[in-house]
Amino acid sequence: MIAEPEELLTLGIETSCDDTALAVMKGRNVVLSSVLSSQIESHSEYGGVVPELASRMHQEMIIPLLEEVLDGAGINDPSEEIDLIAVTAGPGLMGSLLVGVMTAKALSQAWRIPVIGVNHLEGHIFANVAANRDLAPPFISAIVSGGHTEIVWVKDFGEYELLGSTRDDAAGEAYDKIAKMMGLGYPGGPVIDRLASRGDPERYALPMPLSSTSRVEFSFSGLKTAAANIIRNSEKTGTSLKKEDICASFQKAVIGSLTCKIKLAADMTGVKRLTLSGGVAANSGLRSKLNEIAEEEGWELFLPPKNMCTDNAVMIASAGTDSFLRGNRSDLSLSPDPSWEIW
Ligand SMILES: Nc1ncnc2c1ncn2[C@@H]1O[C@H](COP(=O)(O)OP(=O)(O)OP(=O)(O)O)[C@@H](O)[C@H]1O
Ligand SMILES: [Mg+2]
């Protein structure tokens, strides 16, 4: 028998990139237990995620974390107590996704409970649902992460319209590349965010590509090149460069690009409820600028707590629960789809 929606216990599994994360949720909003093992330190010496290493590390961590998350939720007999397993099936790195999907299918067979494949980007949208009981569609969702920069109109859960996306790099990717160039390590977002708060955003005039078009679209590769040229020129000429000022000027351009298109999406659709998610949603400058705009425009703005911006399994469990309640099901043919497009 299927439990009442608010009572449904879901085990969420996320292994799409470089975080091994598991969570047990009750309904869409109540977190019983959540664990995460980040691989950042292992990848940082290479300046980015090494897929083969990521896959191996997920494999090492997933069973110890499974035991930890079940313990944390006080689950003694998962086959009796868990109702559903929700697992990220794409988009992401093939070798990383495989570890989560195969584990989820094995557990589903062993425990005789259903499994459902979750789209990672739908998961990012549900970070806000998991954190805010009051959030209901319709709303506009800006997903700004390491691999994506997309603005989606959530007409209802499961009914999405992509309003626009990036033509080239994702915003998080631009942060990571600029940080790498300045020797600031990986991931670049948090360190640039920190340095930017101490720098002069007017010191360098960096472009905000496509900001004047009337379409919801982004481009960060020109901005990245412009910032890279300033860094290279200073190296060539031996002139000193204040990293804080580059970071502040770069961040100002990214925030300008993002906020003007988020505003355009709200104007185009007339929807005044907005959410932000994905790793770049943790950016302090972006959060405060959006709060400011929301006040001016009379928007209802939802920002997830910072630890739910980057990858986590709470958002996957929440999205999987909702998808299951909408009647979706997966079976043993569930396979990872590294480029799964949901809208
Ligand atoms: N405070 C911050 N400011 C700006 N960017 C940040 C901040 N914190 C994290 N990021 C960026 O967020 C990205 C990671 O986010 P996330 O984990 O959502 O991406 P991903 O899962 O790798 O990509 P995707 O979700 O598109 O598959 C990195 O590019 C990182 O630099
Ligand atoms: Mg992500």
Side-chain angles (χ1 to χ4, degrees), residues 183-343:
L184 299 175
Y186 170 85
V191 57
I192 291 186
D193 192 9
R194 212 167 42 245
L195 291 174
S197 68
R198 303 199 297 265
D200 174 8
E202 310 302 331
R203 175 70 184 79
Y204 301 101
L206 289 170
M208 258 193 276
L210 306 180
S211 53
S212 56
T213 69
S214 56
R215 285 187 299 273
V216 177
E217 57 185 351
F218 303 94
S219 167
F220 293 103
S221 108
L223 166 62
K224 184 192 65 192
T225 307
N229 284 342
I230 294 172
I231 298 165
R232 276 198 211 100
N233 281 343
S234 85
E235 281 164 3
K236 233 189 264 166
T237 55
T239 39
S240 75
L241 185 83
K242 207 170 152 214
K243 284 183 177 168
E244 286 85 350
D245 291 345
I246 277 280
C247 290
S249 304
F250 171 76
Q251 181 150 303
K252 180 181 168 227
V254 174
I255 293 174
S257 258
L258 292 171
T259 52
C260 81
K261 297 300 182 180
I262 292 173
K263 190 168 172 314
L264 178 62
D267 290 345
M268 271 168 51
T269 57
V271 177
K272 287 185 169 285
R273 189 177 302 135
L274 288 95
T275 72
L276 181 68
S277 56
V280 182
N283 187 271
S284 49
L286 177 60
R287 292 170 82 95
S288 65
K289 185 71 193 169
L290 267 182
N291 270 317
E292 226 175 80
I293 300 175
E295 188 126 323
E296 282 163 21
E297 298 286 326
W299 294 344
E300 207 184 339
L301 176 67
F302 293 85
L303 304 173
K306 288 193 178 181
N307 64 348
M308 281 174 64
C309 293
T310 43
D311 293 349
N312 63 86
V314 167
M315 67 186 199
I316 301 303
S318 184
T321 301
D322 194 81
S323 174
F324 183 76
L325 292 170
R326 297 195 307 264
N328 294 324
R329 301 287 183 270
S330 300
D331 58 25
L332 279 187
S333 66
L334 177 66
S335 303
D337 180 353
S339 48
W340 181 2
E341 285 183 19
I342 190 172
W343 27 74

